[in-house]
Amino acid sequence: MNYYVMTLFPEMIQQGMNTSIIGRAMAKGLLSLETVNIRDYSVTGNGRIDDYPYGGGAGMVMQAEPVYRAYEALREKIGSKPRLIYLTPQGKVFNQKMAEEFAKEEDLIFLCGHYEGIDERVLEEIATDFVSIGDYVLTGGELPSMVMMDSIARMVPGVLSNQESGQFESFQGNLLEYPQYSRPEEWRGKIVPPVLLSGHHGNVDRWRRNQSILRTLRSRPELLLEVDFDKKDRKFLQSLVRGEAEETITEEEKSFLAKLLAF
Ligand code: ADE
């Protein structure tokens, strides 16, 4: 996977991407990262790349031409026309499925905006994807591009070791991950759930699956609409609704589950 980032702050991207698993993958040659400083393509010669918005209003707009020139230079260098992702709160909200899709590409270009945005005309010419990382506004596209590059990289074969790829599986099958525990068995009076010490793999798996369902119900109930429940899952869900399970849920959660089970 080759990442290219068009930005006004290349050092921010380079520093942010050089550590941990991503840094290791770059050292191994599984990933590459190149930054392009849009300011180098200023048309005024003084490094200015923004101007006032037509129609008035607060803030400045990044001009079309420097962005276009930076893109053209990059495209010539790459020799193909990769997907170009523009990071914007107006885009489609990023998720795990999109990360898996983007991971199939050989090259990806990220375009980071600043100020009040980028002249729409150049976006129409070069952007193939408009992506937001969530419903909040940041000062620029650099952090969102790094969030995307991190999660896409995890999906590139070889980036995670076998051990690592078994971890962090929240969103596998649309369920959040179950809680984890390590030594000691008792910490400040709190014990590890006894089933995890039982050595009974079947019971451990069942407990973890139930905890995943419970967590998803409590934090992200809408994800449950897309889950394929088996017979044992349904039994657990029913026991929650009837108040027969060890774990208790709220009345609101009960009525949500009752409707879900009716389908
Ligand atoms: N730029 C500013 N805020 C953003 C967000 N939430 N997602 C993507 N790009 C952004």
Side-chain angles (χ1 to χ4, degrees), residues 3 5 41 51 61 67-68 80 97 117 141 144 148 171 180 196 216 248 259:
Y3 292 138
V5 186
Y41 296 87
D51 209 332
V61 174
V67 173
Y68 192 69
S80 66
K97 205 166 149 219
M148 285 189 69
F171 299 111
Q180 298 277 19
L196 299 179
T216 313
T248 52
K259 272 186 233 149

Side-chain angles (χ1 to χ4, degrees), residues 29-63:
L30 293 166
L31 296 178
S32 74
L33 170 66
E34 196 172 312
T35 48
V36 177
N37 192 340
I38 298 169
R39 204 175 293 286
D40 292 344
Y41 296 87
S42 159
V43 278
T44 52
N46 60 1
R48 236 188 115 165
I49 47 78
D50 62 334
D51 209 332
Y52 293 99
Y54 278 119
M60 303 294 273
V61 174
M62 282 170 72
Q63 292 169 290

Side-chain angles (χ1 to χ4, degrees), residues 87-89 131-134 136-138 140 144:
L87 288 312
T88 167
V131 182
S132 163
I133 62 157
Y136 42 84
V137 182
L138 299 162

